[in-house]
Amino acid sequence: MNKKLLSVPYLFWSALFIIIPLCMVFYYGLTDKNGAFTLSNIAAIATPEHSKALWSAIRLSLISTVICLLLAYPLAMILNGMKTGHDSLTVLIFILPMWMNFLLRTMAWQTLLEKTGVINGILSFFHLQNLSIINTPNAVILGMVYNFLPFMVLPIYNVLTKIDQSVINAARDLGANEVQTFLKVILPLSIPGMVSGITMVFVPALTTFVISNILGGGKILLIGNVIEQEFTQTNNWNLGSGLSIVLMLFIIFNMVISAVTDKEGEVNVL
Amino acid sequence: MRNAAKKIYLALIFLFLYAPIAALIVLSFNNSKTRAKWGGFTLKWYQELFKNESIMQALWNTLAIAIISATAATVIGTIASISIQSMKKRTRAIVMGITNIPMLNAEIVTGISLMLLFISLKMRFGFTTILLSHITFNIPYVILNVMPRMRQLNPSIYESALDLGASPLQAFFKVTFPDLLPGILSGFLMAFTMSLDDFIITHFTKGAGIHTLSTKIYTEVRKGIKPEMYSLSTMIFVAVIFLLILVNYTPRDKKDMHKS
């Protein structure tokens, strides 16, 4: 069996559906409507409208990533401490919402948060002040954290389970207390998991347009919303591609960092 | 004290994760149009759901695309894994780098890049364009599940099969394939789930006349959520639990469990 020949279908497929499409984004992004070279689509990121959208996206996705990390790390520690084995029911329970349709999860929060929604219904029943965070950046952050939390829990949990118990025992034997063991042994060893989790939360949060649309009520424009509108409503593919190139710079930056910290591909959970 | 704190923490996260889903389930049985009030138990939203032809059509599209794209991705991805394994180190690194692009890149960029491709190929947007896109983003999941298995294979077993007179195809299907099967299966399942759940790439590569469940839900939610959506959520949630139980309690190689 000639193994070289076997690679042909896949190489052809990835050239046609991965490489060429990406080149087209660059082509459209670097040309104007008449096909002449221009940098104006990329420079367009500097207009107040676009830079505000990019800045909001960065701000909201960074906040969500930090919240996810702070919530997920203790959770992963506790799950790992239970030593119930990899495919245990408990671990499954905490990542199960990941498999629920993404749109439905976001819709659920809309239902809960709306002015006449479930939470306010319950609050008024007890004559408490109503909550009004729907259509605010906070609602978008909540949606991001809810949707992407499992992506942070899984990689951290995976690295934690791989830490050899004898390394921890050794640290304890050598006189480190629990906090020292955590800071000097467990935390450094779990960095690849954290980096992988941060990438898996940050990239989709930075580029989302769905969460901001559903929970932001169209009032919160993130860079993803701007690009989506350029492609589906305004039909200005050149501008949309130009802004996507800017977005990709952030993703590439992120990829480089995760490639450096995770050379072995060990924590690739998906 | 400490254990109690841990349990409280788990309980809080559990509440955060499941309260929204629980709310959807409760509302799907609520006989009142306003969300804030309980108007008694009803099954009418489930009847409405099954009567709603456009939702049912979207469901079939979703399932058809998921099954076909996962199958195609499994075939292409498995063949690709075999060939990648036999590549020189540098070529392999480049090919794996390309393979990782759809997984690491933002979905919105993958979506618009495929949209631009289909436009320039003058393809009609619809079932085919969605299907091609789904196969594309599914292949990496198959490769990433099959490759580790490939690496564990002992090449001399395949070679001894050849020495004993098996044809390369026979040797592959009788020797290599059974060893790869757990990886292939988990790759297929992951591809299937990814396809079911995808919204963003479908959004950019679908035509006007076709919907998958995700794009249908998106359109409905923007118009205002109808109670049928709650019954749909409930049924999807039940289906997800059922699938996970099936996957996790089917006896197969334990090593691959954590990947699915």
Side-chain angles (χ1 to χ4, degrees), chain A residues 3-4 7 11, chain B residues 80-97 147 151:
Chain A
K3 289 193 169 168
K4 281 227 168 80
S7 65
L11 291 182
Chain B
S81 307
I82 297 166
S83 63
I84 291 171
Q85 185 63 20
S86 62
M87 283 173 182
K88 285 197 197 92
K89 213 178 165 198
R90 241 185 97 182
T91 334
R92 194 191 322 173
I94 296 171
V95 174
M96 284 312 282
M147 281 301 280
R151 265 182 239 128

Side-chain angles (χ1 to χ4, degrees), chain A residues 11-22:
Chain A
L11 291 182
F12 175 76
W13 190 283
S14 33
L16 182 60
F17 292 107
I18 299 176
I19 310 283
I20 295 177
L22 269 182

Side-chain angles (χ1 to χ4, degrees), chain B residues 62-138:
Chain B
T62 309
L63 288 175
I65 289 167
I67 292 170
I68 303 173
S69 72
T71 310
T74 306
V75 174
I76 301 174
T78 306
I79 297 174
S81 307
I82 297 166
S83 63
I84 291 171
Q85 185 63 20
S86 62
M87 283 173 182
K88 285 197 197 92
K89 213 178 165 198
R90 241 185 97 182
T91 334
R92 194 191 322 173
I94 296 171
V95 174
M96 284 312 282
I98 295 170
T99 303
N100 281 329
I101 292 177
M103 296 182 61
L104 295 173
N105 206 345
E107 281 182 277
I108 186 172
V109 181
T110 309
I112 59 165
S113 72
L114 285 164
M115 178 183 172
L116 290 174
L117 175 80
F118 296 139
I119 288 171
S120 66
L121 293 177
K122 302 206 165 36
M123 286 182 72
R124 214 168 57 85
F125 280 71
F127 192 88
T128 321
T129 47
I130 304 178
L131 191 61
L132 290 171
S133 313
H134 280 228
I135 296 175
T136 304
F137 74 71
N138 275 339

